[in-house]
Amino acid sequence: MSLLQGTIITFSILPFFPFLIVFVVCRYILKMEKKKSLLTSMDITTFFLIFSVAALFNVLFTSRFGFYLILLLLLLALGLIGGAQNRIKGKVDGKRLCRAVWRLTFMAMTLAYTLLTVVGIFKNIFNSM
């Protein structure tokens, strides 16, 4: 296994590591302001969270539908937020729409990762008894 492949797998299993690494690099090495560093960290970590939550879902529920479920929910969110944006402003700003859905995905995937991790721990405890 190559170093790059191992790093990507590690970041997908433990998605809070890329968040911390990107935040520290942006904040202290690139000298970005705190808010921009935080948002950049969220944007990059979302990618790893999607794969991590999909894998947790697949393991817990013995399925292969996790990634497709997340993709379906992302498309639904794009449609709903895009429709609301069209009703309110009369046009859809694609950049703003994608940014809003991506940041909402970060929040949802963080919650799902935490919930599925706790459920997985309890499931393994009860299965081993």
Side-chain angles (χ1 to χ4, degrees):
M1 179 168 27
S2 71
L3 180 64
L4 179 63
Q5 187 178 11
T7 304
I8 291 173
I9 290 171
T10 302
F11 284 167
S12 293
I13 294 171
L14 303 167
F16 51 87
F17 280 151
F19 182 85
L20 292 173
I21 291 169
V22 171
F23 182 78
V24 168
V25 166
C26 288
R27 181 81 173 124
Y28 298 109
I29 295 174
L30 299 178
K31 305 289 187 201
M32 289 181 173
E33 62 185 42
K34 189 175 182 179
K35 182 178 179 180
K36 188 164 173 75
S37 299
L38 184 67
L39 294 176
T40 303
S41 300
M42 287 171 56
D43 290 343
I44 292 173
T45 305
T46 303
F47 175 76
F48 295 108
L49 278 168
I50 288 172
F51 289 110
S52 183
V53 169
L56 279 169
F57 181 88
N58 290 343
V59 168
L60 283 175
F61 299 109
T62 58
S63 74
R64 292 190 289 173
F65 187 66
F67 179 74
Y68 301 111
L69 178 65
I70 292 170
L71 190 61
L72 176 67
L73 293 174
L74 282 173
L75 290 172
L76 282 171
L78 278 168
L80 290 171
I81 294 173
Q85 199 178 64
N86 189 34
R87 274 192 310 275
I88 292 170
K89 296 188 177 193
K91 64 177 182 158
V92 176
D93 182 7
K95 184 178 178 182
R96 226 175 139 182
L97 172 66
C98 290
R99 190 179 328 131
V101 170
W102 196 248
R103 301 248 168 91
L104 286 172
T105 302
F106 174 80
M107 300 307 271
M109 291 298 113
T110 301
L111 179 66
Y113 178 81
T114 305
L115 181 69
L116 290 174
T117 300
V118 170
V119 168
I121 290 170
F122 281 116
K123 183 178 177 184
N124 282 334
I125 288 172
F126 288 125
N127 285 342
S128 67
M129 293 179 127

